[in-house]
Amino acid sequence: MALGAGPARIFSLVVGQGLRLTAAGIAAGLIAAFALTRGLTTMLVGVKATDPATFATMAVVFFLIAATASWLPARRAAGLDPTAALREE
């Protein structure tokens, strides 16, 4: 903000970075989960190891949690007064 970025740009930058990392983490987690389900097949009763509803639900839940975790600091960063923040540093 001290160099000319507006609050909306700061907000989208912080949330965008958080959601990009989230998407990469969810993709890596889904790949790892599909790879590791073979060992869990014997322990599951009544549910397939690669149940698409379970994988999709958990991916959405993790994405919503990460979006909230990105949104809160982004809102705070967008509301900062740049001169006050520079004085504190």
Side-chain angles (χ1 to χ4, degrees), residues 12-65:
S12 67
L13 177 72
V14 173
V15 170
Q17 283 182 334
L19 294 182
R20 275 193 297 277
L21 287 172
T22 299
I26 288 174
L30 286 173
I31 291 169
F34 276 119
L36 297 174
T37 53
R38 292 195 174 124
L40 295 175
T41 305
T42 58
M43 293 186 254
L44 297 174
V45 177
V47 179
K48 291 190 325 183
T50 56
D51 183 33
T54 303
F55 279 94
T57 302
M58 291 315 299
V60 168
V61 167
F62 283 132
F63 188 82
L64 291 175
I65 290 169

